[in-house]
Amino acid sequence: MRADDGVVLVYITFPDLIVAERTVRHAVAERLAACGNLLRGVNSIYRWKGAIETAEEVLVLLKTTESRVESLRAAVLAVHPYEVPEFVITPLTGGNPEYLDWVRDCVT
């Protein structure tokens, strides 16, 4: 891990709780993420193949580091059932230093 390894928040949507939980457990077990929050009942409205679609999804928020993002992305995309999964990375510009250190420790 780099000394300046920044903590990031990764957003991913899943079609159901089973797939989301299985993916998050794997990411945490493999030290690809420190933790994940699963938010059920997210209503998504989006354009897909020319039509406006609506779906109830599970939103997952994963905390990891910049150096682990590509490994996490590869692991998620390998098992994700969507044709084009959401995988959005947001760098964190601050936070509780002890928490951010904990995230870094969990993924090394």
Side-chain angles (χ1 to χ4, degrees), residues 8-22:
V8 299
L9 185 62
V10 177
Y11 296 76
I12 310 166
T13 51
F14 290 89
D16 60 59
L17 186 60
I18 293 168
V19 175
E21 185 173 343
R22 182 175 46 229

Side-chain angles (χ1 to χ4, degrees), residues 5-106:
D5 205 7
V7 175
V8 299
L9 185 62
V10 177
Y11 296 76
I12 310 166
T13 51
F14 290 89
D16 60 59
L17 186 60
I18 293 168
V19 175
E21 185 173 343
R22 182 175 46 229
T23 304
V24 172
R25 285 188 178 280
H26 175 74
V28 172
E30 294 298 316
R31 296 185 170 269
L32 300 173
C35 67
N37 306 107
L38 290 74
L39 298 116
R40 292 185 261 180
V42 172
N43 293 313
S44 298
I45 302 169
Y46 55 94
R47 182 176 301 279
W48 181 248
K49 297 186 178 184
I52 303 297
E53 302 287 343
T54 304
E56 186 172 305
E57 298 179 296
V58 176
L59 174 63
V60 169
L61 306 175
L62 292 171
K63 277 70 89 180
T64 191
T65 59
E66 292 172 342
S67 66
R68 298 301 279 157
V69 164
E70 284 309 311
S71 296
L72 175 61
R73 185 181 66 79
V76 169
L77 297 185
V79 299
H80 205 292
Y82 288 170
E83 187 176 334
V84 181
E86 176 180 15
F87 190 95
V88 178
I89 304 155
T90 303
L92 300 182
T93 60
N96 177 1
E98 291 84 5
Y99 178 80
L100 300 177
D101 287 342
W102 172 79
V103 170
R104 289 183 192 98
D105 288 345
C106 285

